[in-house]
Amino acid sequence: MTVIASTEVPPGTARSALTRAASDYLSHLSVERGLARNTLLSYRRDLLRYVGFLGDRGIGGPAEIVEADVTGFLGALRMGDVDNQPLAAASAARTVVAARGFHKFMLREGLTAVDVSCAVKPPTPPKRLPKALPLSDIEALLDAAGAAGTTLAMRDRALLEFLYGTGARISETVGLDVDGIDFGGPDFESGSVLLHGKGSKQRIVPLGSYAQEALRNYFDKARPDLVAAKGSGPAVFLNARGGRLSRQSAWTVLQKSAERAGIKSGVSPHTLRHSFATHLLDGGADVRVVQDLLGHASVTTTQVYTLVTVDKLREVYATSHPRARGAAVEWRDVDGRTAGELFQ
């Protein structure tokens, strides 16, 4: 099998038989399963941890691994014996999932007679609700991005309008090329964008009028100056030197805009994606539609956003209904009268 150099397990990481097996597994994930580069790099990091841990235990080949080794690996991750700091449940779970996939692969390839990892369950991370910004913060953020009116400010406004208007991942956004945008008609109707998501999957997402307007302004007044710095290029979002904008630079754009907007809570590109989904559901969108827009393979992933809206509904109910138990605020009508006063 062909091994992707950037995801190959380096020689000498542990005993050679394990190293070869891990490299073959990465090749399988890349060539046969077609996983995205960033996903492959995550698998590589996790397999390096596992192969290194087994090597430290003196294990020389796949057939020598027993269930206690896999369990010990999980414990070492949680105790901080692998990376010199304890891994959170979510990170440890991801690493153990990679190890379990590795064992299934070795069983299929005949490298082991049994899957010793099948009984080792990854830790269940606590369910955390995605963070969404209120619409007022979103508007302040977008206004702050383009306030200066410069070439880069127009790019920044277009970038953030695009992220919030499409719910695109940051990797999908910086990887977007010009031919992926369809502006539709002159009145901003039926515009769309072709996004290349995880696992080389593609999806078409509508492009709203605000995002279209910001992009057209950027294309007409700012991008030509950036292209001139280096010559023509297909990337939509360019840096000051005319090259493709990096994920790190896009993150910096967002952070600086949040500071200018006075937003104190931490904001990341994924915050805009969370806000996109939450605001759609708040507006009555069907969860299956939001699933397609976000490019989630399973609706279960999307349903976490419904928990946010349900919590909001509970809060509104608790503070607004006169007979809601445990209401956080005493109910009053528009004239300030309590329920008891109304029925005296």
Side-chain angles (χ1 to χ4, degrees):
M1 294 182 182
T2 302
V3 178
I4 304 299
S6 62
T7 57
E8 184 176 340
V9 175
T13 300
R15 302 295 179 89
S16 60
L18 278 175
T19 302
R20 287 197 302 271
S23 293
D24 287 346
Y25 180 47
L26 288 172
S27 294
H28 163 75
L29 294 176
S30 172
V31 178
E32 298 183 29
R33 290 184 54 187
L35 297 189
R37 175 181 171 81
N38 288 338
T39 305
L40 285 171
L41 290 174
S42 294
Y43 269 95
R44 179 182 183 273
R45 286 191 296 269
D46 294 337
L47 287 175
L48 282 173
R49 286 172 172 152
Y50 188 45
V51 171
F53 173 81
L54 295 173
D56 290 343
R57 286 196 164 198
I59 294 171
E64 299 176 32
I65 308 171
V66 297
E67 183 178 318
D69 294 317
V70 186
T71 304
F73 178 58
L74 173 58
L77 290 172
R78 297 293 277 147
M79 293 295 293
D81 296 335
V82 176
D83 291 337
N84 296 321
Q85 61 179 2
L87 285 188
S91 298
R94 190 201 65 239
T95 305
V96 171
V97 166
R100 280 164 54 97
F102 181 36
H103 278 280
K104 290 178 182 176
F105 170 78
M106 290 192 291
L107 178 63
R108 288 196 304 270
E109 295 294 305
L111 299 176
T112 58
V114 63
D115 179 1
V116 298
S117 72
C118 61
V120 181
K121 304 300 181 185
T124 303
K127 183 172 286 187
R128 292 183 295 178
L129 296 180
K131 176 185 174 182
L133 293 175
L135 183 56
S136 58
D137 280 358
I138 292 287
E139 292 174 340
L141 180 70
L142 297 173
D143 289 341
T150 62
T151 295
L152 291 182
M154 284 184 275
R155 180 208 61 188
D156 295 348
R157 176 66 183 253
L159 172 69
L160 300 192
E161 286 278 10
F162 183 86
L163 284 167
Y164 174 64
T166 63
R169 300 177 178 93
I170 188 61
S171 57
E172 296 168 343
T173 300
V174 298
L176 181 66
D177 289 339
V178 173
D179 60 5
I181 297 179
D182 178 3
F183 282 107
D187 296 325
F188 305 119
E189 71 273 12
S190 64
S192 63
V193 59
L194 176 64
L195 297 175
H196 298 268
K198 291 184 176 180
S200 300
K201 294 179 181 177
Q202 297 181 345
R203 68 186 188 280
I204 295 177
V205 176
L207 198 57
S209 61
Y210 286 94
Q212 284 193 56
E213 185 176 5
L215 280 168
R216 287 185 178 184
N217 189 50
Y218 163 62
F219 269 70
D220 292 342
K221 301 177 182 178
R223 190 175 180 277
D225 292 338
L226 298 177
V227 169
K230 192 175 182 180
S232 61
V236 170
F237 296 106
L238 303 175
N239 59 32
R241 297 177 301 280
R244 186 181 295 272
L245 190 70
S246 68
R247 295 171 62 176
Q248 293 77 13
S249 295
W251 186 291
T252 301
V253 168
L254 180 58
Q255 293 295 315
K256 289 183 177 178
S257 298
E259 290 175 7
R260 287 195 294 268
I263 299 173
K264 303 300 183 183
S265 56
V267 178
S268 73
H270 231 62
T271 305
L272 296 183
R273 182 168 160 86
H274 293 327
S275 302
F276 167 83
T278 302
H279 296 169
L280 277 172
L281 289 166
D282 284 346
D286 183 88
V287 69
R288 295 278 182 182
V289 174
V290 178
Q291 175 194 355
D292 290 341
L293 292 172
L294 292 174
H296 286 159
S298 170
V299 73
T300 304
T301 309
T302 316
Q303 283 174 332
V304 68
Y305 293 101
T306 66
L307 297 176
V308 179
T309 57
V310 168
D311 277 357
K312 193 172 294 184
L313 289 172
R314 286 198 187 102
E315 181 183 348
V316 171
Y317 174 78
T319 58
S320 304
H321 195 280
R323 295 184 66 81
R325 294 188 177 183
V329 179
E330 185 180 35
W331 180 88
R332 293 179 180 271
D333 73 346
V334 292
D335 296 319
R337 294 171 297 180
T338 66
E341 291 169 341
L342 285 173
F343 293 101
Q344 282 180 349

